[in-house]
């Protein structure tokens, strides 16, 4: 997760981040402690402490910098996390509204050309009750409308479906505007057409005489806007109620609010379309705000100026429920995920790098004072202080890193879960429209008459084909719309030709025909399972069917209509729209078996099987889950939601076809570092006063603890400073490193991969990797290790010979240290053997 934002006034946000305040206070205390240690060393043992004073100065300077940088990073990441979360929801509000209203523009365009309705408005028929019944049949399928009315050119209401609020006529200017337009007119405001509402969203279109083409009236579809917005807010607003979702107009005025008592409709609110992290004031309270303008859909721009917005007060923005993501992760997975911190959270990576620097400084300070005598007691006090303060520093950094890591992961988990919820919502809403379309078009009188006729001539087939083609031009989500007779034989179709043949005269599947013939009413429909269909070029899709009934006998099914959903581009567009501009994320729709229905992942095409946890496949409808997983060899955040339907679709209409949306946010490839996650929990019991005690510099290689006699160790340097040099076949030698230790002449040393020397496998270099500078017999080399640990002392009685000296790494490991009462064995690298091996050039290969 990367963020670029203007510099923040950190002090503005600190009062609302108690955990960051505690971190800042601890940093300040440690900074003072390092200063006191440095001053004490200069006063009490300046000669003995000479070698560690530069190290301590570097530590102090590091704390001066980190006291500001660490706090700033924590604050920035927390703010960015909140802005990301509310931004995703703000974009959802406007996107889902625009997609819904796009369907309305198609509806009004089609219904305004309905022959029965046009004939009635033109005065060719006077069956008002039959027309009202027809409009109510339309409304019973497209349940998003709460009123449909027909008006003549003078504004007189000819028929409406809501008889409880009768209207005689209207003088609204939208009528003149609609009569003069050859397309739909979208109106949102107060209107005498809907006198009981403060504002209404109406889609109107002029109607033409069926014979002469003269303008004879207006169709108005009144969208149930308040109910639709309430459904969006109820489904997707913050369950804790800390933030408020709203829809705004072009003047930044609230159209609808998830919590009208908090921010009422009509209020003018501050907006933030640029993702600015600055606080914004509204009604005496400061907010973080994200605003998204309408992005358009399928060429439809949405109502002018409309925007989705979410606002969260700063005093509750950072007080979400505590997360325990880290504690539930396998330590190896947690460590591997952290190794990718630079890519998914630069601030987190910077803090981790700073922590590594402090650890190296402390480790070097301990190494540099190894074997010091004389004013040992004075120096020992300094060493004890260094060790104690270093431990406190590491503990603080570990806690800070864990807090920020937890923030990043918890936010990513919530976001992936929300996006998966959005995706199944988009799918259900889209397919709801498909169920409406097939049922309504099955009521087309021309289709009913043609299929009920004893015989169909070419002119009749041509006429109904023209109707289907007109529909298909308006509703481009279908590749083919076709009708078939009672035997299942296709008699007319758009795009009839297919791969050199025609679908005309072919038959639909017998089981599908049986389902259509069994449909009990005009409200019923059926859908073929998502599977390859000859009507879609052999590709998988859904085909929606509705029965066409005899116009004189509703109980008699004379055929049916099938609409072939263009699943490939439409489902793909849903997935990509839901993901927005999020990089490195893939999304999929799968069924209850894990079979892929749609995918943005090219390695998982439609029809393949996704290996999934069975508990996810069994999630109840409407449920969501998120977790950290290993996916295709990468660490990933996975969000999952099961579809729950929309309005009556998949809820009360008898249709069941569960779909799961999955979102995978990849954080980088899996890095196998066995045991690396346990490094921070390995505590050694050291005894500096032990008679004959020996000091060892300890470190990790492949998750195991190793040691070198501290007397041969000069310092440790970050592996990032290695200059790689080609050494031909000598795989153990990986490059050159410039020296910084004052006891050694300026210059460079060859660096050897200790992991390769021990086990024959090249080490992975990451941010924790260090190079230990070792000197023996006048020769100096560098050893690449995975991480530093400590510089403890052990009794001679704790050191024992290795029983494996004849095995692969036995040439280098000849002793073990029995640490922690024998509970931990530390392998000791034999320095003389190491140099003997390395000075033998053949052994370097």
């Amino acid at each position: 997760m990367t963020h670029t934002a203007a510099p923040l006034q950190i002090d503005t946000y600190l009062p609302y981040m108690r955990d960051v305040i505690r971190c800042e206070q601890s940093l300040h205390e440690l900074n003072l402690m390092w200063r006191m240690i440095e001053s004490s060393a200069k006063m009490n043992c300046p000669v003995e402490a000479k070698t560690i004073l530069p190290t301590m100065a570097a530590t102090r300077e590091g704390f001066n910098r980190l006291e500001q940088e660490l706090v700033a990073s924590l604050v920035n990441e927390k703010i960015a996390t909140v802005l990301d979360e509310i931004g995703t929801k703000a974009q959802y509000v406007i996107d889902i509204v625009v997609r819904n209203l796009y369907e309305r523009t198609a509806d009004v365009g089609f219904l305004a050309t309905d022959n029965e309705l046009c004939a009635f408005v033109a005065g060719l028929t006077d069956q008002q009750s039959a027309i009202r019944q027809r409009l109510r049949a339309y409304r019973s399928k497209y349940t998003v409308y709460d009123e449909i009315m027909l008006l003549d050119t003078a504004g007189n209401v000819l028929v409406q479906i809501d008889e409880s609020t009768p209207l005689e006529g209207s003088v609204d200017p939208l009528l003149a505007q609609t009569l003069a337009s050859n397309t739909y007119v979208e109106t949102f405001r107060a209107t005498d057409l809907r006198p009981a509402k403060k504002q209404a969203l109406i889609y109107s279109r002029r109607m033409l005489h069926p014979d002469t083409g003269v303008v004879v009236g207006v169709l108005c579809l009144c969208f149930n806007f308040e109910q639709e917005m309430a459904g969006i807010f109820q489904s997707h607003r913050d369950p804790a109620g800390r933030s408020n979702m709203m829809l705004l107009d072009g003047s930044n005025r609230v159209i609808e609010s998830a919590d009208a008592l908090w921010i009422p409709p009509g209020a003018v609110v501050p907006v933030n379309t640029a993702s600015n992290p600055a606080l914004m004031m509204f009604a005496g309270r400061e907010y973080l705000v994200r605003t998204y303008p309408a992005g358009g859909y399928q060429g439809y721009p949405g109502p002018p100026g409309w925007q989705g917005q979410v606002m969260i007060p700063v005093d509750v923005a950072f007080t979400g429920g505590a997360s325990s993501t880290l504690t539930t992760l396998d330590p190896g997975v947690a460590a591997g995920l952290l190794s990718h911190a630079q890519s998914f959270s630069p601030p987190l990576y910077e803090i981790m790098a700073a922590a590594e620097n402090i650890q190296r400084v402390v480790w070097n300070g301990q190494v540099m004072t190894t074997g010091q005598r004389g004013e040992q007691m004075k120096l020992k006090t300094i060493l004890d202080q260094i060790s104690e303060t270093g431990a406190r520093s590491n503990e603080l950094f570990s806690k800070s890193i864990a807090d920020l890591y937890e923030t990043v992961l918890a936010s990513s988990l919530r976001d992936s879960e929300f996006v998966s919820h959005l995706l199944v919502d988009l799918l259900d809403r889209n397919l709801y429209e498909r169920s409406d379309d097939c049922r309504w078009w099955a009521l087309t009188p021309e289709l009913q008459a043609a299929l009920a006729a004893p015989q169909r001539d070419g002119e009749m087939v041509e006429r109904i084909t023209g109707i289907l083609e007109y529909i298909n031009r308006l509703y481009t989500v279908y590749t083919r719309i076709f009708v078939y007779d009672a035997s299942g034989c296709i008699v007319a179709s758009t795009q009839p030709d297919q791969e050199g043949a025609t679908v005309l005269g072919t038959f639909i599947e017998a089981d599908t025909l049986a389902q259509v013939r069994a449909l009990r009413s005009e409200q019923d429909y059926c859908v073929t399972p998502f599977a390859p269909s000859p009507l879609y070029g052999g590709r998988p899709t859904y085909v929606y069917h509705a029965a066409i009934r005899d116009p004189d006998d509703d109980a008699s099914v004379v055929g049916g209509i099938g609409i072939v959903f263009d699943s490939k581009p439409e489902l793909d567009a849903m997935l990509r729209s839901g993901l927005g501009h999020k990089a490195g994320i893939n999304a999929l729709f799968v069924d209850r078996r894990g079979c892929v229905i749609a995918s943005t992942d090219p390695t998982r095409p439609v029809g393949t099987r996704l290996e999934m946890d069975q508990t996810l496949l069994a999630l109840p409808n409407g449920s969501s889950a998120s977790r950290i997983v290993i996916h295709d060899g990468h660490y990933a955040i996975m969000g999952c939601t099961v579809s729950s339907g929309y309005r009556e679709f998949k809820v009360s209409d008898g249709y069941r076809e569960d779909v799961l949306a999955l979102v995978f946010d990849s954080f980088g490839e899996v890095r196998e570092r066995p045991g690396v996650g346990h490094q921070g929990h390995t505590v050694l019991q050291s005894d500096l006063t032990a008679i004959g005690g020996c000091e060892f510099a300890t470190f990790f290689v492949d998750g195991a603890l190793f040691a070198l006699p501290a007397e041969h160790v000069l310092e440790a340097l970050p592996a990032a400073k290695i200059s790689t040099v080609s050494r031909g076949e000598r795989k153990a030698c990986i490059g050159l490193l410039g020296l910084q230790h004052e006891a050694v002449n300026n210059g460079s040393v060859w660096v050897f991969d200790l992991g390769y020397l021990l086990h024959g496998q090249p080490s992975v270099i990451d941010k924790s990797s260090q190079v230990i500078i070792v000197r023996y017999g006048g020769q100096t080399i560098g050893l690449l290790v995975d991480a530093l640990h400590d510089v403890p002392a052990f009794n001679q009685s704790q050191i024992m010979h290795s029983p494996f000296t004849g095995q692969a790494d036995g040439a280098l490991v000849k002793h073990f240290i029995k640490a922690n009462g024998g509970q931990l064995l530390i392998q000791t690298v034999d320095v003389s053997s190491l140099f003997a091996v390395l000075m033998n050039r053949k052994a370097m290969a």
Side-chain angles (χ1 to χ4, degrees), residues 749-768:
V749 296
W750 290 110
V751 178
F752 298 89
D753 183 348
L754 185 56
Y756 181 82
L757 290 169
L758 290 169
H759 307 133
Q761 294 294 325
S763 299
V764 176
I765 299 179
D766 59 22
K767 67 165 192 66
S768 298

Side-chain angles (χ1 to χ4, degrees), residues 89 236-245 258-259 262 285 287 310-313 316-317 319:
K89 295 187 176 185
H236 296 292
R237 73 168 301 193
D238 176 15
R242 296 181 309 141
S243 61
N244 198 8
M245 303 175 79
D259 189 336
W262 180 359
R285 199 174 185 186
Y287 289 83
V310 175
M311 299 171 63
I312 185 167
V316 298
T319 59

